[in-house]
């Protein structure tokens, strides 16, 4: 059995939840009487009309439900305006440029003014409650201002990760039928300028819904505005733009945002989150799992293009009056010490990153860390993929100096906020364990036949009932929502992960059960990459599976069948990798591409990916082979394995 790390006494004394007994007492109430429990918690937010009930199944068969349905609220008000009374001078956002040369601090009063003005800019372009606004921006303060402004006026934001390429951007803007696009002339990556404008213009070709485009000048390209294009700075500083903008009254169940993600279907799925339940859930999980106190400085390294950036860089922390550090760059530029320097210079107390980042910085050893004073740290967070013990210990010993709890947060785009994560003042930590569920989360480990798994037996992790932060549907495709999440175990939410629970009730997440691959913590659907590969003229068929990668955790292994007459070469491999990058984005490039004569299939022609997965993982555990019609493929593929 691995060693356990009990909570530090000093930490526990100041923590919101001080012992595992106290946690169980609150958890029990949250399960036995969720209505009273969540209405009590809802008092932590400012409502326009306080709700009288919490959860309601509107249609249990169709999995339509509501939280706080008769309450009205505004998310931006809760993240900005309500703090003006308490501490308007407090820094809301500390932004650091990609090269660490520039720092900007924005306090809550300034944030309020910027958001109010930009909300008026949006209104002046005809954006109204319920309209969708797409946002494609690097990590600059305007991204947070844009998101909050949408929330202020009731527009639904759809942030697109600024590393995606043209077809993916296009799909997402078109599918959301956005009225307005907010983008920049470009961004800085690894010290280089990346031009966004060409890609954006291509992505908007033939788009019938975008009426205006607002452009932030980040890299100062020499741009001539076209019709219906506007510069952010000119608009926000225009004399006609007032500093006052009322917050729209939103029903708790009005949509707040759409966030597209990858999955088991070829097309991107738009996860839809609504206002009241989501906001309360991220507010509470941020407060309890990070044990956030008002003097803490918080640094999250996630990109706002992903759910972590939405929930734990914007809505969770700002609704808790936090001071959020936002870094424009990457951990390895200008050198591999940028995170340590930021932690030292800004006296960061809570640092939240991904295991892949820890692994990539571990390569440089302890020396770089020794140059910096990281004493301010009190808690370290982890997200996006299982954290392997080696990375856990390195993070704990070297970054946290053996005194900071590691809060391993297991959750998903769909869950809105943390599902299972330590209460750091209360729990014993065990490396690799996400520990116990948040209030209101009833997790179970079920076998495929619905029976309960034994202690320590790996199986499907499911959740019994909806929680406030849960997605409400897949945008414009409720049937897909039912098929993906509610069909395998009927009345239980199927997370798509494999996990086990030990005798203490601590959960260990093993990994995905479906064809989602987690590359450096980024979520990529195998089927999306396969369809990108077969859209290349040289490729007939493709199957993509994960393999273990030292830094990325998982990386992609593509098995392809070339078209008649095509011969593989290094150039062709590179062309295919570039092709995937152009279709989806650089994060989706397969690390390995192996040409095969045939793929393992069933008699109906379905590729049996689990066989390929086993080969890629150097395992002989192929599972049931009775439906395999071409068993010879296993040896053929293994012989030429890369
Ligand atoms: O497989 C789990 C893994 O990431 C999936 C969700 O990915 P995404 O929607 O991109 O959200 C990432 C940020 C929450 C999960 O189904 N995952 C996420 N966090 C962990 C994790 N696996 C193990 N441990 C975690 N802490």
């Amino acid at each position: 059995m691995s060693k356990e790390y009990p909570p530090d006494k000093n930490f526990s004394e100041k923590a919101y939840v001080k012992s595992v007994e106290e946690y169980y007492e609150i958890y029990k109430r949250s399960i036995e009487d969720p209505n009273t429990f969540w209405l009590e918690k809802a008092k932590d937010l400012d409502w326009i009309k306080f709700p009288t009930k919490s959860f309601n199944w509107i249609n249990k068969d169709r999995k339509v439900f509501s939280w706080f349905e008769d309450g009205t609220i505004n998310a931006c008000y809760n993240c900005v305006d309500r703090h003006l009374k308490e501490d308007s001078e407090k820094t809301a956002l500390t932004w650091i440029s990609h090269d660490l040369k520039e720092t900007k601090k924005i306090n809550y009063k300034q944030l309020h003014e910027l958001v109010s003005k930009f909300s008026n800019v949006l209104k002046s372009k005809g954006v109204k409650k319920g309209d969708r606004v797409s946002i494609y921006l690097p990590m600059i303060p305007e991204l947070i201002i844009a998101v909050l402004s949408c929330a202020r006026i009731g527009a639904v934001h759809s942030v697109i990760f600024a590393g995606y390429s043209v077809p993916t951007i296009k799909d997402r803007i078109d599918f959301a039928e956005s009225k307005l696009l907010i983008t920049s002339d470009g961004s800085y990556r690894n010290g280089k300028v990346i031009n966004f404008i060409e890609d954006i213009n291509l992505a908007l070709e033939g788009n019938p819904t975008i009426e205006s485009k607002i452009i932030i000048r980040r890299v100062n390209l020499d741009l001539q505005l076209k019709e219906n294009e506007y510069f952010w700075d000119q608009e926000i500083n225009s004399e006609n733009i007032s500093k006052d903008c009322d917050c729209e009254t939103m029903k708790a169940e009005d949509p707040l945002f759409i966030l597209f993600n990858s999955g088991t279907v070829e097309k991107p799925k738009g996860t839809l989150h609504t206002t009241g339940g989501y906001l309360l859930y991220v507010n509470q999980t941020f407060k309890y799992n990070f044990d956030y106190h008002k003097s803490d400085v918080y640094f999250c390294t996630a990109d706002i293009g992903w759910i972590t950036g939405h929930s734990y860089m914007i809505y969770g922390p700002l609704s808790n009056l936090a001071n959020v550090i936002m870094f424009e760059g990457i951990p390895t530029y200008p050198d591999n010490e940028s995170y340590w320097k930021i932690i030292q210079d800004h006296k960061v107390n809570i640092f939240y990153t991904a295991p892949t980042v820890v692994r990539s910085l571990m390569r440089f050893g302890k020396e770089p860390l020794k140059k910096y004073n990281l004493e301010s740290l009190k808690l370290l967070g982890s997200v996006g993929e299982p954290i392997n013990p080696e990375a856990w210990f390195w993070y704990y010993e070297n970054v946290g100096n053996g005194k900071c709890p590691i809060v391993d947060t297991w959750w998903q785009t769909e869950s809105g906020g943390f599902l299972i994560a330590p209460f750091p003042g209360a729990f014993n930590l065990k490396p690799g364990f996400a520990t116990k569920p948040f209030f209101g989360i009833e997790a179970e480990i079920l076998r495929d036949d619905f029976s309960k798994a034994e202690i320590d037996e790996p199986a499907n992790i499911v959740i019994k009932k909806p929680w406030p932060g849960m997605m409400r549907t897949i945008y414009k495709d409720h049937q897909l929502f039912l098929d993906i999440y509610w069909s395998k175990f009927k009345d239980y939410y199927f997370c798509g992960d494999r996990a086990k629970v030990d005798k203490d009730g601590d959960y260990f997440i093993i990994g995905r059960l479906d064809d989602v691959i987690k590359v450096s913590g980024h979520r990529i659907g195998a089927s999306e990459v396969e369809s990108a590969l077969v859209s290349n003229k040289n490729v007939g068929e493709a199957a993509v599976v994960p393999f273990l990668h030292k830094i990325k955790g998982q990386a992609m292994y593509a098995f392809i069948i070339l078209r008649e007459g095509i011969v593989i070469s290094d150039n062709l491999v590179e062309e295919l990798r570039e092709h995937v990058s152009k279709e989806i984005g650089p994060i989706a490039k397969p690390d390995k591409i192996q040409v095969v004569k045939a793929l393992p299939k069933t008699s109906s022609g379905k590729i049996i990916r689990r066989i390929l997965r086993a080969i890629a993982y150097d395992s002989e555990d192929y599972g049931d082979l009775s439906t395999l019609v071409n068993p010879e493929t296993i040896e053929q593929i293994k012989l030429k394995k890369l």
Side-chain angles (χ1 to χ4, degrees):
M1 233 204 32
S2 65
K3 193 174 156 196
E4 292 186 21
Y5 295 78
D8 177 79
K9 279 207 181 72
N10 291 331
F11 191 107
S12 295
E13 265 168 30
K14 294 183 211 122
Y16 296 111
V17 179
K18 297 179 177 19
S19 66
V20 74
E21 293 75 24
E22 189 183 347
Y23 157 81
Y24 272 123
E25 189 269 315
I26 308 173
Y27 178 76
K28 198 162 163 259
R29 271 196 283 129
S30 77
I31 301 299
E32 286 172 0
D33 185 5
N35 196 46
T36 313
F37 177 85
W38 284 112
L39 286 177
E40 190 56 43
K41 288 285 164 211
K43 291 182 188 154
D44 276 5
L45 296 182
D46 280 21
W47 297 78
I48 300 162
K49 178 181 176 293
F50 195 81
T52 59
K53 62 176 168 194
S54 55
F55 178 69
N56 182 28
W57 273 120
I58 295 169
N59 181 337
K60 195 164 179 194
D61 284 345
R62 299 280 302 159
K63 308 299 175 222
V64 182
F65 58 88
S66 65
W67 280 91
F68 314 112
E69 65 185 12
D70 63 348
T72 57
I73 190 165
N74 184 282
C76 177
Y77 182 89
N78 276 276
C79 291
V80 184
D81 303 48
R82 70 164 172 160
H83 304 318
L84 298 184
K85 284 172 266 160
E86 193 176 334
D87 197 353
S88 65
E89 301 295 323
K90 181 172 177 183
T91 304
L93 196 62
T94 305
W95 175 82
I96 300 150
S97 65
H98 71 111
D99 53 7
L100 303 177
K101 287 191 179 142
E102 205 189 329
T103 300
K104 252 189 227 166
K105 282 185 186 272
I106 299 177
N107 67 28
Y108 276 92
K109 193 163 133 206
Q110 293 162 328
L111 184 62
H112 178 253
E113 185 174 323
L114 288 163
V115 169
S116 302
K117 280 178 162 182
F118 192 66
S119 300
N120 284 327
V121 172
L122 289 175
K123 282 184 173 177
S124 74
K125 304 293 170 239
V127 178
K128 293 188 295 296
K129 182 174 178 172
D131 287 341
R132 271 82 56 219
V133 171
S134 290
I135 303 175
Y136 185 83
L137 284 176
M139 290 288 283
I140 51 178
E142 288 84 348
L143 173 47
I144 294 186
I145 295 165
V147 162
L148 291 170
S149 302
C150 289
R152 189 171 193 87
I153 65 168
V156 181
H157 55 81
S158 168
V159 180
I160 303 167
F161 172 60
Y164 279 130
S165 39
V166 176
T168 308
I169 306 170
K170 181 173 180 49
D171 271 356
R172 292 169 192 222
I173 298 176
D174 289 356
F175 195 71
E177 297 175 282
S178 290
K179 193 165 196 176
L180 185 135
L181 173 70
I182 305 165
T183 187
S184 64
D185 53 356
S187 72
Y188 293 102
R189 192 143 188 100
N190 253 328
K192 291 196 208 85
V193 171
I194 313 278
N195 181 331
F196 282 3
I197 295 298
E198 267 170 36
D199 280 2
I200 287 294
N201 286 342
L202 285 172
L204 288 184
E205 265 176 24
N207 173 288
T209 60
I210 294 283
E211 292 174 6
S212 353
K213 203 194 294 173
I214 297 182
I215 303 169
I216 292 146
R217 290 188 267 202
R218 173 64 192 123
V219 295
N220 296 318
L221 296 183
D222 187 15
L223 274 189
Q224 300 299 319
L225 291 181
K226 293 188 287 195
E227 203 186 340
N228 297 326
E229 289 185 344
Y230 308 90
F231 283 131
W232 171 292
D233 50 333
Q234 285 176 356
E235 291 297 309
I236 205 164
N237 295 321
S238 148
E239 276 174 15
N240 307 327
I241 291 299
S242 152
K243 283 186 197 158
D244 301 311
C245 176
D246 286 342
C247 292
E248 191 71 40
T249 299
M250 305 299 287
K251 290 192 194 121
E253 282 301 340
D254 279 338
L256 180 61
F257 65 87
I258 302 167
L259 184 58
F260 287 93
N261 70 11
S262 259
T264 46
V265 284
E266 272 173 40
K267 282 280 156 197
K269 318 187 311 274
T271 307
L272 184 93
H273 283 286
T274 57
T275 309
Y278 168 82
L279 189 66
L280 180 64
Y281 196 70
V282 296
N283 172 276
Q284 294 293 297
T285 43
F286 181 78
K287 173 176 166 179
Y288 285 100
N289 293 119
F290 286 155
D291 203 61
Y292 186 80
H293 293 267
K294 299 231 157 78
S295 57
D296 292 335
V297 177
Y298 168 71
F299 177 21
C300 169
T301 69
D303 194 289
I304 290 176
W306 312 116
I307 191 69
T308 308
H310 283 59
S311 300
Y312 298 107
M313 270 196 81
I314 305 183
Y315 291 112
L318 295 181
S319 67
N320 274 288
L321 185 53
N323 173 353
V324 178
I325 306 265
M326 177 187 210
F327 177 42
E328 186 187 27
I330 53 171
T332 46
Y333 183 84
D335 53 36
N336 52 52
E337 296 169 14
S338 43
Y339 284 178
W340 317 138
K341 187 164 183 346
I342 292 172
I343 294 173
Q344 168 183 276
D345 292 355
H346 296 276
K347 300 198 169 44
V348 170
N349 306 111
I350 302 175
F351 177 58
Y352 189 31
T353 196
T356 186
V357 169
V358 176
R359 286 191 297 266
S360 74
L361 294 173
M362 265 166 77
R363 279 183 299 167
F364 305 108
K366 300 174 198 167
E367 289 314 307
L369 283 157
K370 287 191 186 147
K371 294 193 214 159
Y372 298 93
N373 179 351
L374 308 182
E375 273 301 301
S376 58
L377 286 172
K378 70 162 206 183
L379 186 148
L380 301 172
S382 173
V383 61
E385 49 176 322
I387 180 161
N388 51 308
E390 206 191 341
W392 196 99
F393 288 117
W394 194 85
Y395 199 23
Y396 184 77
E397 297 294 347
N398 300 302
V399 183
N401 201 14
K403 67 175 178 62
C404 302
I406 294 194
V407 175
D408 180 1
T409 60
W410 173 69
W411 59 297
Q412 317 179 296
T413 308
E414 295 86 336
S415 73
F418 307 154
L419 289 168
I420 299 186
F423 280 63
F427 294 178
N428 283 2
L429 300 178
K430 300 171 189 170
F433 282 77
T435 70
K436 301 183 207 303
F438 195 69
F439 306 139
I441 303 295
E442 278 183 273
E444 285 207 0
I445 309 285
L446 296 186
R447 299 187 185 115
D448 285 347
D449 66 3
F450 276 51
S451 59
K452 260 192 171 184
E454 298 286 333
I455 299 270
D456 293 330
E457 179 190 341
N460 307 279
I461 181 158
V462 298
I463 316 247
K464 260 183 165 171
K465 272 190 249 140
W467 57 97
M470 186 186 203
M471 70 186 300
R472 299 299 190 261
T473 190
I474 290 177
Y475 187 58
K476 296 201 286 200
D477 202 341
H478 195 71
Q479 190 54 47
L480 195 59
F481 173 69
L482 298 178
D483 294 346
I484 296 180
Y485 305 102
W486 297 99
S487 60
K488 190 161 176 185
F489 292 98
K490 202 166 174 323
D491 282 338
Y492 291 74
Y493 168 77
F494 173 59
C495 309
D497 280 319
R498 210 165 123 85
K500 55 187 184 177
V501 61
D502 73 4
K503 59 173 186 4
D504 304 322
D506 285 321
Y507 287 81
F508 183 99
I509 310 297
I510 299 165
R512 297 290 306 186
L513 280 154
D514 55 12
D515 292 314
V516 166
I517 305 176
K518 282 276 170 163
V519 181
S520 300
H522 298 319
R523 170 174 176 158
I524 299 164
S527 44
E528 276 180 69
V529 183
E530 288 162 4
S531 62
L533 282 167
V534 296
S535 72
N536 181 284
K537 60 182 187 312
N538 298 298
V539 181
E541 275 188 78
V544 174
V545 296
F547 73 94
L548 277 181
H549 188 284
K550 249 189 128 128
I551 308 254
K552 299 180 184 179
Q554 290 187 332
M556 269 181 289
Y557 196 139
F559 296 90
I560 58 168
I561 301 178
L562 290 173
R563 286 187 187 274
E564 272 301 304
I566 308 292
V567 184
I568 194 69
S569 64
D570 289 349
N571 283 348
L572 181 53
V573 167
E574 213 28 56
E575 180 190 324
L576 295 178
R577 283 165 43 81
E578 277 312 310
H579 180 77
V580 175
S581 175
K582 279 217 177 86
E583 288 294 305
I584 305 174
I587 52 166
K589 277 188 194 176
D591 274 45
K592 295 186 182 182
I593 299 183
Q594 179 180 342
V595 175
V596 297
K597 283 207 184 77
L599 290 163
K601 286 189 177 168
T602 63
S603 55
S604 59
K606 212 171 149 237
I607 298 168
I608 312 181
R609 281 209 195 93
R610 75 182 132 77
I611 295 178
L612 297 170
R613 217 178 291 140
I615 295 175
Y617 267 81
D618 286 323
S619 152
E620 304 250 310
D621 184 10
Y622 305 123
D624 176 17
L625 295 182
S626 60
T627 55
L628 175 67
V629 287
N630 49 358
E632 69 286 357
T633 51
I634 298 185
E635 283 313 309
Q636 285 168 1
I637 294 173
K638 271 172 72 177
L639 261 177
K640 300 219 167 133
K641 185 173 172 283
L642 299 174

